[in-house]
Amino acid sequence: MMTDPIADMLTRIRNANKAGLDKLELPASKIKANICRVLKEEGYIKSFKIAAKSPSEIVIKIGLKEGAIVGLKRISTPGLRVYKGYREMPRVLSGLGVSVVSTSAGIISSRKAASLKLGGEIICNVW
């Protein structure tokens, strides 16, 4: 049983990036797909696609950009949730990175959340 599937996803991306792989697969969920969408919009990954390996197993296939992701860090964990208002949105590496935020408008980047004046749960930081 996995207690934190988002941390597992970030670790798989981090490990594949360090190993120099250009693609990886991981178990699918809606929140993971939305995090991948934000990473694609911000230019950290090439592509992602939801595919069915079998009728009972659905995976997300991620195409990585070489050298685009330097680091990933999980901020809000199941044991300690971290919420911030739009005025307190974290600046990752003085604006070079981005935070992924879960808001009432869905999962979006911290830049978009600040421009829409939305606060929420800080899921992770990417730089």
Side-chain angles (χ1 to χ4, degrees), residues 10 13-15 17-18 39 43-44 65-73 92-93 96-97 125-127:
L10 297 175
I13 292 172
R14 189 181 309 116
N15 289 342
N17 194 32
K18 283 187 179 179
L39 292 177
Y44 289 104
K65 284 185 179 177
E66 190 172 336
I69 297 176
V70 176
L72 292 160
K73 185 177 180 186
V92 181
L93 285 181
L96 295 177
N125 290 340
V126 185
W127 63 93

Side-chain angles (χ1 to χ4, degrees), residues 9-95:
M9 174 185 139
L10 297 175
T11 300
R12 287 179 189 225
I13 292 172
R14 189 181 309 116
N15 289 342
N17 194 32
K18 283 187 179 179
L21 301 178
D22 59 346
K23 59 186 173 190
L24 75 135
E25 287 185 1
L26 49 102
S29 72
K30 287 182 182 180
I31 191 165
K32 290 178 188 177
N34 285 325
I35 292 171
C36 288
R37 179 186 47 78
V38 171
L39 292 177
K40 184 174 181 342
E41 287 172 359
E42 293 293 324
Y44 289 104
I45 61 175
K46 274 192 237 179
S47 63
F48 76 97
K49 184 174 122 182
I50 299 172
K53 273 182 124 173
S54 67
S56 63
E57 186 179 3
I58 300 172
V59 296
I60 298 176
K61 296 181 179 186
I62 300 174
L64 298 174
K65 284 185 179 177
E66 190 172 336
I69 297 176
V70 176
L72 292 160
K73 185 177 180 186
R74 178 82 157 117
I75 302 300
S76 190
T77 62
L80 179 64
R81 301 290 184 186
V82 178
Y83 298 94
K84 298 286 182 185
Y86 75 93
R87 289 187 180 104
E88 297 94 34
M89 279 294 154
R91 287 178 46 98
V92 181
L93 285 181
S94 299

